[in-house]
Amino acid sequence: MKRILTIQDISCLGKCSLTIALPVISATGVETVILPTAVLSTHTMFKNFTVKDLSDQIDPIKNHWLSENVRFDAIYTGYLGTIEQIDQMKELFNDFRHDGMTIFVDPVMADNGKLYPAFDMDYVKKNAELCASADIIVPNITEAAFMTGMEYKEEYDEAYIKEMLQKLNEFGAKVSVLTGVSLSPGKTGVMGYDREADDYFVYQNDRIDASYHGTGDLFSSSCIGAMMRGKSWQEAMKIAADYTAYTIEVTLQNPDKPWYGVDFEATIPELIKKLG
Ligand code: PXL
């Protein structure tokens, strides 16, 4: 069985970051090791959330694993809290790096043209550095606009997305993927660029007019899970995009849906089916 280390916060209530990554990656049939970067009472879209930073735990936990000769097939980072933590991640990647390991970075920090509360341009710059240490990066258009310095646009064409992918590619990851890309009315999906193959990949499915918290984490978790189950990055993106869209559809049908997240618990069987 493959083993993934995923590093992100625990938002105790809110269905995002580790409360999505742990169940979803485990459900794909991959051992999921977690390293929590902070404990929050809820995600940051709630008011008055509490935060306990766990930066001082990262190195002791890592050193214990190193002394046990633990190896990971992939490391997947999501929401991180501070610039110092990003430096810790860069070191941690180097400590565990080996041929054949995939480093998957989701530089979670912004959406809909805006940075999440608590982040600023210094944090953006640091995330760009983290992307340079990765094999595959999956920012949304807002995050990529901040990191590349390109203008954030709500309406754009394929040339804008390709230019953004080329700018991301300059950071150095093997594969750069943009999420939340809509190339025609009523459609949404992903577009990626593979530097070795010098090739673009586009996948679009029907756009659902609803925006939910945690869907980026659901996409990344199902994507890295699928990759560890032997799917190519392109196949994994397709599975993750379809699974995320299906989960949003199912959530919309639930009259008792919470405002803060999606009903991924109800759709995990569909993900397992997609993996074959
Ligand atoms: O889903 C991304 C995410 C993860 N963790 C925390 C967040 C968010 C998005 O706002 O606030 C704490």
Side-chain angles (χ1 to χ4, degrees):
M1 192 183 286
K2 297 275 175 128
R3 179 186 298 130
I4 292 181
L5 167 61
T6 183
I7 309 171
Q8 33 195 322
D9 71 278
I10 295 185
S11 293
C12 298
L13 169 73
K15 305 205 211 193
C16 70
S17 40
L18 279 184
T19 63
I20 284 192
L22 179 55
V24 170
I25 301 172
S26 296
T28 65
V30 176
E31 181 185 343
T32 313
V33 178
I34 60 168
L35 183 44
T37 53
V39 182
L40 291 83
S41 53
T42 62
H43 62 52
T44 59
M45 297 297 119
F46 283 81
K47 288 200 182 81
N48 305 322
F49 57 87
T50 67
V51 191
K52 170 74 179 165
D53 182 272
L54 296 177
S55 299
D56 66 352
Q57 295 302 303
I58 291 175
D59 288 349
I61 291 172
K62 176 186 80 173
N63 290 333
H64 182 211
W65 290 338
L66 287 169
S67 76
E68 294 284 331
N69 295 317
V70 179
R71 274 167 73 90
F72 301 109
D73 297 292
I75 299 178
Y76 152 39
T77 62
Y79 186 104
L80 303 168
T82 60
I83 286 177
E84 293 72 30
Q85 274 186 356
I86 297 185
D87 282 328
Q88 286 177 298
M89 292 306 109
K90 289 196 309 195
E91 257 187 61
L92 185 145
F93 291 172
N94 286 333
D95 290 333
F96 288 101
R97 204 185 287 273
H98 60 84
D99 286 347
M101 186 176 83
T102 303
I103 297 181
F104 185 105
V105 169
D106 186 353
V108 179
M109 60 182 157
D111 207 0
N112 302 313
K114 283 197 227 113
L115 286 172
Y116 291 145
F119 297 142
D120 58 17
M121 284 313 289
D122 289 337
Y123 190 80
V124 169
K125 264 197 223 140
K126 266 287 166 197
N127 250 324
E129 283 178 24
L130 191 67
C131 287
S133 307
D135 297 302
I136 175 158
I137 59 174
V138 292
N140 59 36
I141 295 176
T142 305
E143 289 155 349
F146 276 112
M147 289 194 293
T148 60
M150 280 178 68
E151 184 191 351
Y152 170 75
K153 291 185 181 174
E154 304 234 313
E155 290 188 11
Y156 48 78
D157 55 11
E158 192 175 291
Y160 169 80
I161 298 297
K162 280 188 164 170
E163 186 185 344
M164 205 171 242
L165 284 171
Q166 285 307 323
K167 289 209 154 83
L168 289 173
N169 179 48
E170 284 167 19
F171 294 161
K174 291 183 196 130
V175 174
S176 302
V177 175
L178 277 167
T179 61
V181 172
S182 171
L183 292 175
S184 50
K187 298 278 174 188
T188 190
V190 298
M191 183 161 184
Y193 178 73
D194 184 323
R195 70 188 304 153
E196 273 164 27
D198 184 22
D199 201 16
Y200 289 97
F201 168 76
V202 185
Y203 184 66
Q204 298 275 283
N205 49 23
D206 289 341
R207 185 192 186 98
I208 307 158
D209 267 330
S211 158
Y212 279 106
H213 235 71
T215 49
D217 304 331
L218 193 64
F219 174 85
S220 291
S221 300
S222 50
C223 184
I224 190 68
M227 285 174 68
M228 290 299 107
R229 287 291 304 276
K231 308 291 181 194
S232 67
W233 71 264
Q234 295 95 333
E235 287 172 314
M237 293 285 156
K238 195 164 174 281
I239 289 170
D242 285 342
Y243 171 59
T244 305
Y246 175 70
T247 302
I248 295 172
E249 255 174 57
V250 167
T251 304
L252 279 172
Q253 284 159 19
N254 173 8
D256 301 320
K257 58 184 165 288
W259 65 267
Y260 51 77
V262 285
D263 288 351
F264 73 95
E265 302 87 342
T267 59
I268 282 181
E270 184 62 24
L271 174 61
I272 296 168
K273 221 175 358 169
K274 284 183 192 304
L275 290 171

